[in-house]
C-alpha cells in the first residue's frame, strides 16, 4: 500500500524513471521554475549514480530544518515521497512559511505525480496524508496554487476543502484547512 515517506534510496531506480517521465513531458527546461524543473537541470544527468542519489535524498531531508542547506530565496520545506516498496509514485513538498513569491505562485504545498501513476488517486492520498504534517508545522490554513487549466489538481484541492480565493494570471489560489480533526 502506498505511503508517504522521507526521501529514501530504496526507490532509486523508480525515481530516476519517474524523472525521465517528467522530462518527456517537457519539464526541466529553462522556463520551468518548479522544484522538479530545477532539480532536473541540476541532477538529471547524475541521479543514476547511487552516491549522488543518496546525497540528493539526504539534502532533501536536511532542507526541512531551519538551518538546512537551502538555495537562495527558499524556505525550509518538508519533502515526502509517495512510495510502495521500491516503487516511486510522486512527491509532495510542504513549505514551512510563505515568501512573497510563494504567496503568488507556489503556496505552502506543492505536489507532482509521475505520468504512469496518474488518475489512480495518488495526488489525493498525498494531500490527505500531508495535511496533518502541515498542521503540525503550524500551517492552518495552507495556500495551494495550480494552473487554471489543471483540472485534476483543482479537483484534488477542492475535494479536500480548498476554497478559491482568487486567480492571479493563470494561477488559481486556494486556502485549505489543515486541521483535519475539526
Amino acid at each position: 500500500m502506498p505511503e508517504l515517506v522521507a526521501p529514501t534510496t530504496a526507490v532509486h531506480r523508480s525515481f530516476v524513471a519517474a524523472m525521465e517521465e517528467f522530462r518527456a513531458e517537457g519539464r526541466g527546461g529553462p522556463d520551468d521554475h518548479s522544484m522538479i524543473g530545477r532539480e532536473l537541470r541540476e541532477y538529471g544527468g547524475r541521479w543514476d549514480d547511487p552516491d549522488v542519489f543518496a546525497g540528493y535524498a539526504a539534502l532533501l531531508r536536511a532542507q526541512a530544518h531551519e538551518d538546512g542547506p537551502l538555495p537562495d530565496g527558499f524556505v525550509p520545506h518538508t519533502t515526502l515521497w509517495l512510495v510502495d516498496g521500491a516503487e516511486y509514485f510522486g512527491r509532495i513538498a510542504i513549505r514551512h512559511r510563505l515568501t512573497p513569491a510563494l504567496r503568488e505562485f507556489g503556496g505552502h504545498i506543492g505536489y507532482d505525480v509521475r505520468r504512469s501513476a496518474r488518475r489512480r488517486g495518488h495526488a489525493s492520498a498525498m494531500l490527505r496524508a500531508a495535511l496533518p504534517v502541515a498542521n503540525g508545522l503550524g500551517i492552518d490554513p495552507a495556500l495551494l496554487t495550480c494552473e487554471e487549466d489543471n483540472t485534476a489538481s483543482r479537483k484534488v484541492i477542492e475535494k479536500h476543502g480548498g476554497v478559491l480565493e482568487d486567480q492571479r494570471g493563470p494561477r488559481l489560489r486556494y486556502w485549505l484547512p489543515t486541521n483535519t480533526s475539526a
Side-chain angles (χ1 to χ4, degrees), residues 1-5 8 11-19 21-22 36 80-92 111-123 125-126:
M1 178 143 187
E3 62 180 329
L4 279 183
V5 300
T8 174
V11 297
H12 181 204
R13 289 289 150 220
S14 181
F15 179 92
V16 170
M19 293 304 110
E21 290 177 26
F22 285 118
I36 284 182
L80 300 168
W81 290 353
L82 185 68
V83 305
D84 189 358
E87 188 67 24
Y88 172 91
F89 296 115
R91 70 157 138 206
I92 193 161
Y111 51 86
D112 291 286
V113 175
R114 69 187 291 182
R115 182 180 210 81
S116 62
R118 292 180 188 154
R119 302 184 60 83
R120 298 190 340 213
H122 294 313
M126 284 193 301

Side-chain angles (χ1 to χ4, degrees), residues 14-123:
S14 181
F15 179 92
V16 170
M19 293 304 110
E20 286 308 310
E21 290 177 26
F22 285 118
R23 187 185 305 281
E25 291 180 322
R27 303 287 295 273
D31 293 334
D32 183 352
H33 301 292
S34 69
M35 185 178 276
I36 284 182
R38 184 180 58 78
E39 291 175 0
L40 278 168
R41 287 188 299 278
E42 185 173 343
Y43 290 98
R46 302 183 302 132
W47 272 319
D48 282 332
D49 180 321
D51 292 331
V52 170
F53 187 76
Y56 165 74
L59 174 71
L60 291 181
R61 292 189 305 269
Q63 289 177 338
H65 304 289
E66 195 65 39
D67 60 349
L70 298 167
D72 287 341
F74 277 57
V75 299
H77 53 278
T78 300
T79 299
L80 300 168
W81 290 353
L82 185 68
V83 305
D84 189 358
E87 188 67 24
Y88 172 91
F89 296 115
R91 70 157 138 206
I92 193 161
I94 305 163
R95 298 167 194 102
H96 298 188
R97 63 181 175 274
L98 296 176
T99 63
L102 288 173
R103 188 169 292 282
E104 293 296 317
F105 179 73
H108 286 105
I109 300 174
Y111 51 86
D112 291 286
V113 175
R114 69 187 291 182
R115 182 180 210 81
S116 62
R118 292 180 188 154
R119 302 184 60 83
R120 298 190 340 213
H122 294 313

